[in-house]
Amino acid sequence: MSSNSQSYSYSYYSSSTSSNGGPPQNAAYAERSYTDNTGTTTERMHKLPGQQPVYESSERPAGRRVEGASTASSQNRITDVTDADKQYEERMEDEYAKREGGA
């Protein structure tokens, strides 16, 4: 007797920042994963301010070990988007300081 289980997950994060009355700068991150008896399919999207969205997709067959597991685990890690936001804000602050004759 074969089992037929399925699971699905989806996560989405977006942020919008503006400085000194300038236009908003938007960033977005999304990931969805679908698993059934054939394996797991994962799709990711991230968009940083001023850039086109980047789409990635990966498939992992059921019951198979991924070759080069250390590489796969680093590619499939979840990134804390608050770090990306902080880095972006720091770069923007530095840029504004340069324009104002500071740093």
Side-chain angles (χ1 to χ4, degrees):
M1 182 171 151
S2 67
S3 82
N4 188 14
S5 64
Q6 301 175 341
S7 67
Y8 178 81
S9 67
Y10 179 79
S11 61
Y12 179 80
Y13 169 81
S14 68
S15 69
S16 179
T17 59
S18 62
S19 182
N20 297 329
Q25 299 290 312
N26 301 311
Y29 305 87
E31 180 175 301
R32 70 178 174 184
S33 225
Y34 176 77
T35 302
D36 63 13
N37 59 347
T38 64
T40 301
T41 300
T42 303
E43 297 172 334
R44 294 176 193 84
M45 181 283 298
H46 65 272
K47 182 187 179 311
L48 298 175
Q51 297 181 6
Q52 293 295 317
V54 175
Y55 297 93
E56 302 171 324
S57 180
S58 62
E59 294 183 11
R60 181 176 302 174
R64 283 201 184 166
R65 181 185 164 102
V66 176
E67 303 239 353
S70 62
T71 303
S73 64
S74 65
Q75 290 175 348
N76 293 332
R77 72 176 184 269
I78 296 174
T79 303
D80 184 358
V81 293
T82 56
D83 289 343
D85 285 345
K86 286 177 188 175
Q87 290 173 355
Y88 172 76
E89 288 175 15
E90 289 171 2
R91 287 194 309 269
M92 291 304 292
E93 288 172 5
D94 290 345
E95 187 63 32
Y96 280 113
K98 289 177 191 174
R99 292 180 186 185
E100 294 171 358

